[in-house]
Amino acid sequence: MIWYPYEQLKTMKDPYKVVDAKGVYLYTEDNKMIDSVSSWWSNIYGYKNERLNESIINQVNKFSHVMLGGITHEPVETLSNKLKEFLPGDLDYPFFSDSGSVAVEVALKMALQFYMNKGEEDRTMILALNHAYHGDTFKTMEVGDDEDYHFVLKAYGKSKYVVHIPTEIDALEDAFDKYGDKLNSFIVEPLLQGAGGMRMYDISFLERARELCDEYNVLLIFDEVATGFGRTGNRFVADLVLPDIICLGKALTGGYIGHAATVANKKVFDAFYDDDPTHALMHGPTFMANPLACSVAISGIEIFEEENFMEKIKRIEEIQREEMAGFTHPKIEEVRVMGGCVCIEVKDEKDIRGFQEFAYKRGVFARPFIKYIYSMVPYVISEDELRKVMRTMKEWFER
């Protein structure tokens, strides 16, 4: 039996079996549906994108994988240079891995060792946000704040190394005042907290965080696995406030294949670049810098730039705001829109039960969770297709 994610297998309904996909559509044997969640927010260029397909096919015909240990190859060198040009500031030093969770694990490990290498052995604590989600591996669960993972608290107790705060400047300042000399990093999903409920907050919080990190000599980590590549309406939130480390994944390969990058600035990198072998970053996923993933990521970035995807995202946001303007219902707590994300939060989670099947019958694939009906559409969606997604979300409450 397949072990499906986030499901009680004994009681789960049968999943939809996809037999084909093209553009924004997923095809089952009996239905055609718009993928309103972009395969967990990753497939931004659509399915069967000819240019992305070609990049993988060309690389397959050369070689599909070689380890990065003691070996290099053109796709990883080209992608590294591309990211250096593409990312803001001096975020120039990428460490590649195979998933967003691992990218965050590497960032947290990097931040801790940064201070160990400098002899500052008391900086063992991490500041994080309430309702944070950074992945499903153990350290990412620890810095996350997802109730589904609180079984870990029952087993091991509350971590003495992680402090969680709300996205309020007073709480931020209090945390730095209390723990600043013990912190090695502050990690955030910038502006948009995904799996924690599509929670949105103001850039002023991050601007103040940057000031405090500088004042207290703490590394600022942006987990842009979900928010990067335009999802917040910004290319990267790092374009507005520059972190010391940024984590990328999901849309990095256009949703084609698992790949991620933890990209550090020069200050962080220099703490590892040393004659002392113990100062090296001792991490190495087997499939890091996979040539297929690097090749498709290169093509994806080129598409993003050459086809002006930021303008597409701007138009997506305009349509979403237009469709959701003034929309309310007694069962709805709040409607939120930011960039390429729309979220309807209901007051009671029972009020979204059945929405997935409702949407499926109307030609939309959706994956609501807890109290949230949301969309994060592929950027190649047409205006009519986008309005269909928005209206399906609204029609659920208008039955």
Side-chain angles (χ1 to χ4, degrees), residues 176-397:
F176 271 89
D177 183 60
K178 187 172 183 180
Y179 304 107
D181 62 342
K182 302 293 185 184
L183 294 173
N184 61 60
S185 60
F186 179 29
I187 183 168
V188 298
E189 300 159 272
L191 296 186
L192 173 63
Q193 294 181 274
M198 305 301 163
R199 298 169 186 270
M200 302 169 187
Y201 60 96
D202 192 73
I203 191 65
S204 60
F205 179 85
L206 296 176
E207 291 170 340
R208 184 61 179 139
R210 179 69 273 178
E211 292 173 351
L212 290 166
C213 284
D214 289 340
E215 180 181 343
Y216 286 87
N217 191 29
V218 173
L219 297 180
L220 180 60
I221 302 172
F222 277 9
D223 175 358
E224 295 225 45
V225 171
T227 62
F229 292 89
R231 190 55 72 180
T232 66
N234 306 285
R235 224 177 46 115
F236 299 95
V237 184
D239 289 330
L240 306 180
V241 175
L242 191 64
D244 299 291
I245 302 171
I246 187 171
C247 302
L248 307 177
K250 292 188 182 294
L252 176 63
T253 63
Y256 262 60
I257 190 170
H259 202 216
T262 306
V263 190
N265 66 10
K266 190 174 189 303
K267 178 178 77 171
V268 173
F269 180 80
D270 283 348
F272 294 81
Y273 193 70
D274 198 293
D275 292 326
D276 187 343
T278 67
H279 286 186
L281 180 62
M282 300 301 288
H283 205 93
T286 300
F287 291 99
M288 69 182 298
N290 171 262
L292 301 179
C294 289
S295 296
V296 77
I298 294 163
S299 294
I301 293 171
E302 290 172 349
I303 292 171
F304 193 94
E305 293 182 306
E306 294 169 11
E307 299 184 17
N308 200 1
F309 267 70
M310 289 308 301
E311 280 301 313
K312 298 180 193 294
I313 296 162
K314 181 180 178 182
R315 182 57 183 151
I316 286 170
E317 181 171 14
E318 288 173 351
I319 293 170
Q320 291 173 161
R321 290 192 180 279
E322 178 185 319
E323 285 287 339
M324 291 296 170
F327 179 65
T328 187
H329 188 275
K331 293 179 179 179
I332 293 176
E333 180 70 33
E334 186 177 37
V335 178
R336 298 188 283 275
V337 180
M338 177 183 284
C341 176
V342 175
C343 178
I344 299 175
E345 179 179 350
V346 298
K347 295 175 181 177
D348 191 319
E349 62 184 67
K350 73 178 184 336
D351 292 327
I352 66 169
R353 292 174 191 161
F355 175 73
Q356 186 177 58
E357 188 63 22
F358 175 88
Y360 180 81
K361 291 176 180 178
R362 286 154 182 78
V364 175
F365 174 68
R367 190 174 167 86
F369 66 101
I370 311 176
K371 299 192 296 180
Y372 312 102
I373 292 174
Y374 78 95
S375 70
M376 285 193 182
V377 297
Y379 301 151
V380 294
I381 196 167
S382 71
E383 182 170 323
D384 287 345
E385 290 163 344
L386 180 56
R387 291 188 188 280
K388 179 177 180 177
V389 171
M390 296 296 100
R391 289 168 185 176
T392 298
M393 294 168 72
K394 293 190 292 185
E395 285 167 7
W396 171 251
F397 297 95

Side-chain angles (χ1 to χ4, degrees), residues 33-189:
M33 52 185 174
I34 299 168
D35 182 0
S36 73
V37 296
S38 304
S39 277
W40 267 331
W41 326 336
S42 65
N43 195 289
I44 61 175
Y45 308 115
Y47 298 97
K48 285 188 185 174
N49 181 289
E50 290 183 6
R51 191 164 169 183
L52 298 186
N53 284 4
E54 184 180 356
S55 67
I56 287 188
I57 291 167
N58 288 342
Q59 186 57 47
V60 164
N61 288 331
K62 296 175 184 176
F63 53 92
S64 296
H65 182 65
V66 291
M67 63 187 286
L68 199 64
I71 295 173
T72 191
H73 50 82
E74 184 178 352
V76 70
E77 292 172 350
T78 301
L79 178 57
S80 296
N81 290 330
K82 181 74 70 176
L83 287 172
K84 182 176 181 178
E85 297 168 358
F86 193 53
L87 292 173
D90 62 342
L91 293 167
D92 295 340
Y93 303 91
F95 183 98
F96 295 104
S97 57
D98 45 12
S99 76
S101 295
V102 176
V104 174
E105 289 277 350
V106 171
L108 297 171
K109 185 175 181 178
M110 197 180 277
L112 177 60
Q113 191 177 345
F114 172 83
Y115 290 99
M116 297 301 104
N117 285 359
K118 294 164 69 69
E120 298 183 47
E121 298 180 3
D122 291 334
R123 287 191 176 269
T124 56
M125 296 184 69
I126 301 165
L127 187 63
L129 297 179
N130 293 347
H131 310 292
Y133 174 82
H134 295 288
D136 298 341
T137 51
F138 255 65
K139 195 65 180 179
T140 63
M141 285 194 296
E142 188 177 69
V143 296
D145 185 31
D146 190 320
E147 291 184 5
D148 288 338
Y149 303 140
H150 284 183
F151 72 91
V152 176
L153 300 181
K154 293 180 182 178
Y156 296 111
K158 186 175 176 61
S159 173
K160 63 181 181 180
Y161 298 110
V162 180
V163 176
H164 288 97
I165 61 169
T167 52
E168 299 167 3
I169 290 178
D170 286 348
L172 176 69
E173 292 175 339
D174 288 345
F176 271 89
D177 183 60
K178 187 172 183 180
Y179 304 107
D181 62 342
K182 302 293 185 184
L183 294 173
N184 61 60
S185 60
F186 179 29
I187 183 168
V188 298
E189 300 159 272

